[in-house]
Amino acid sequence: MPRADSYAYAIAYVRALRSRLISNEQYETLLKAKDDYEVLRYLSDTVYGSYLSEYSGRSLSLSEVDSLVFKDYYNVLRELIGARTTELARQMLEMMYMRHELSCLKSIMRLVLAGRTSEPSLPQVPLIGRFTPGYVSRLLKSRDLRQLFQEINEPQVRVIVLDRVAECEEIHSTVPAEMAIDRYYLSSLWSLTGKLENWDKEPAREIVGTEIDVANIGLILRGKFLGMSFSTIRDLAIPVRYRLNLEVDSAIEAATVFEAMQTLSSGEYGPVISAARSECERQSSLLPLELALKRHFVQRCSRAFVGYPFGIGPLLAFISLKYLEALDIRTILLGKREKKPADSLRHLLISIS
């Protein structure tokens, strides 16, 4: 099958949808809204308007906010999975869908570790795919992380997280298990890129490889921040280096999180890290750098629409951009509810330039 024919519909579909992503001007309008009700009113003029009728005139719960902002994203992703592409493209898109199922698991892990009860906690878990209300309710009844992990239906994921129980218990955090899940997902996605035809491979690796690099930087720094051992961080790191090199090894061996940051500044992502470092030190937080790296990823995704118009690259890029847009709208809605000023919220957005 000619390669153009393999992607013709899917590429036309995402290019049309890309023109309907929230623009900078629309973001500014949302930021100027006086409260979350006004944000919802402004959203009625966007692609999210078709989902708003059931929420008219009332404040949304956290689960309803998530349902609203991610519904269009999931619909687009399911449409692309069912579209005419290639078998490998379909597998990669299905893996991206599985990622969100694994996000449900992460939410459950945090609730179980915190000792939250079943029914009141259910609305806090984003339901998707195999994570039905019944399945989630059963998992939330777990007494501890070990019991929870043993209840997971997916054998590979169950083995991965069970191997991290001791570390989670030691630091009283689910971060080691969450990192192990990210490693599983991103390593699997990278493996699929290696099976693509040469003309399709590099655009896909530009998206997936950048996301892996960003994840590894975050993993190393969060691990340092939590006091994880060198060996644990090394073991959890995703075994792929797209544009990261020897600075990774030095950063893992660094004594502190800011020494690790300094070491990572010597590589490909140096300008991004250096620009955010002083703000991280001022706030004693990794959030400024995490946001800066996600904005860098947005720029990489936007480049996927330049050049040869067909292939898996633009599909992966658009799905990533759409997901990050949903996160930004969620941030604005919840921020307005908490009466946060527009400037504070603007600093938290990923997609606005």
Side-chain angles (χ1 to χ4, degrees):
M1 180 185 295
R3 65 190 189 184
D5 289 349
S6 300
Y7 289 103
Y9 168 77
I11 291 295
Y13 179 60
V14 300
R15 284 187 179 276
L17 291 181
R18 186 180 178 226
S19 67
R20 298 167 66 191
L21 289 173
I22 302 296
S23 66
N24 283 346
E25 292 75 17
Q26 288 172 312
Y27 274 122
E28 291 297 340
T29 298
L30 295 174
L31 287 167
K32 291 174 184 175
K34 63 182 179 181
D35 53 31
D36 52 327
Y37 294 103
E38 194 160 273
V39 171
L40 292 173
R41 184 160 60 83
Y42 290 152
L43 285 174
S44 65
D45 294 328
T46 71
V47 294
Y48 299 93
S50 60
Y51 305 106
L52 281 169
S53 58
E54 61 185 289
Y55 305 115
S56 179
R58 63 183 177 86
S59 183
L60 275 60
S61 68
L62 178 59
S63 62
E64 288 173 330
V65 168
D66 286 340
S67 177
L68 167 65
V69 299
F70 290 106
K71 189 174 290 185
D72 192 53
Y73 167 78
Y74 290 133
N75 286 343
V76 170
L77 182 50
R78 282 190 287 263
E79 177 74 16
L80 287 174
I81 289 172
R84 181 187 183 188
T85 52
T86 66
E87 177 59 22
L88 275 172
R90 184 186 61 78
Q91 290 178 27
M92 294 185 74
L93 292 167
E94 286 181 340
M95 181 61 66
M96 296 185 82
Y97 190 84
M98 181 183 180
R99 174 189 201 173
H100 302 297
E101 294 182 318
L102 296 175
S103 294
C104 297
L105 176 58
K106 291 179 182 179
S107 297
I108 295 168
M109 286 161 45
R110 297 182 203 114
L111 290 168
V112 169
L113 185 64
R116 305 291 291 272
T117 56
S118 174
E119 292 307 316
S121 298
L122 183 58
Q124 299 181 42
V125 180
L127 302 176
I128 180 174
R130 290 171 289 182
F131 282 78
T132 61
Y135 182 40
V136 171
S137 292
R138 178 164 64 85
L139 293 177
L140 283 169
K141 292 175 182 176
S142 302
R143 295 185 307 273
D144 52 34
L145 289 180
R146 187 173 298 278
Q147 181 183 3
L148 168 63
F149 295 161
Q150 289 171 339
E151 294 287 333
I152 296 172
N153 290 336
E154 176 60 48
Q156 287 180 291
V157 177
R158 183 169 62 244
V159 170
I160 289 167
V161 292
L162 275 171
D163 193 45
R164 298 297 166 186
V165 170
E167 291 156 0
C168 291
E169 292 174 341
E170 181 181 351
I171 64 173
H172 197 67
S173 170
T174 60
V175 168
E178 292 184 45
M179 288 178 173
I181 289 172
D182 290 344
R183 174 187 169 112
Y184 166 71
Y185 158 71
L186 287 168
S187 295
S188 300
L189 200 59
W190 180 261
S191 179
L192 288 172
T193 67
K195 299 176 183 179
L196 293 167
E197 294 184 48
N198 288 337
W199 62 269
D200 212 8
K201 185 179 297 183
E202 189 49 42
R205 289 198 159 184
E206 176 80 359
I207 304 301
V208 179
T210 301
E211 187 169 11
I212 288 174
D213 284 350
V214 167
N216 269 332
I217 292 170
L219 182 153
I220 292 168
L221 297 179
R222 277 183 288 149
K224 294 289 177 186
F225 196 80
L226 289 168
M228 292 182 186
S229 67
F230 299 163
S231 59
T232 296
I233 296 173
R234 188 178 296 106
D235 192 37
L236 285 169
I238 303 160
V240 174
R241 297 182 185 182
Y242 181 59
R243 297 189 185 278
L244 289 173
N245 290 299
L246 296 178
E247 70 269 18
V248 171
D249 299 318
S250 300
I252 291 173
E253 298 291 336
T256 69
V257 63
F258 292 111
E259 287 182 20
M261 201 177 292
Q262 177 63 37
T263 300
L264 290 167
S265 297
S266 65
E268 172 75 17
Y269 300 90
V272 180
I273 297 171
S274 297
R277 184 181 175 187
S278 60
E279 190 61 22
C280 288
E281 291 178 338
R282 189 184 71 81
Q283 297 184 22
S284 296
S285 169
L286 295 175
L287 181 60
L289 177 57
E290 290 170 346
L291 292 171
L293 287 168
K294 287 179 180 177
R295 292 175 190 129
H296 176 78
F297 180 59
V298 165
Q299 293 173 2
R300 288 290 176 92
C301 287
S302 298
R303 280 170 24 189
F305 296 91
V306 179
Y308 187 77
F310 298 102
I312 185 64
L315 306 187
L316 299 178
F318 176 77
I319 285 298
S320 297
L321 291 173
K322 183 66 178 175
Y323 177 70
L324 294 171
E325 175 186 273
L327 290 180
D328 281 341
I329 293 174
R330 185 183 193 270
T331 295
I332 294 172
L333 272 168
L334 297 179
K336 288 297 179 180
R337 180 180 299 176
E338 297 171 3
K339 310 299 182 185
K340 290 187 177 180
D343 286 343
S344 297
L345 287 176
R346 187 180 289 102
H347 290 310
L348 298 175
L349 300 185
I350 302 163
S351 306
I352 193 170
S353 58

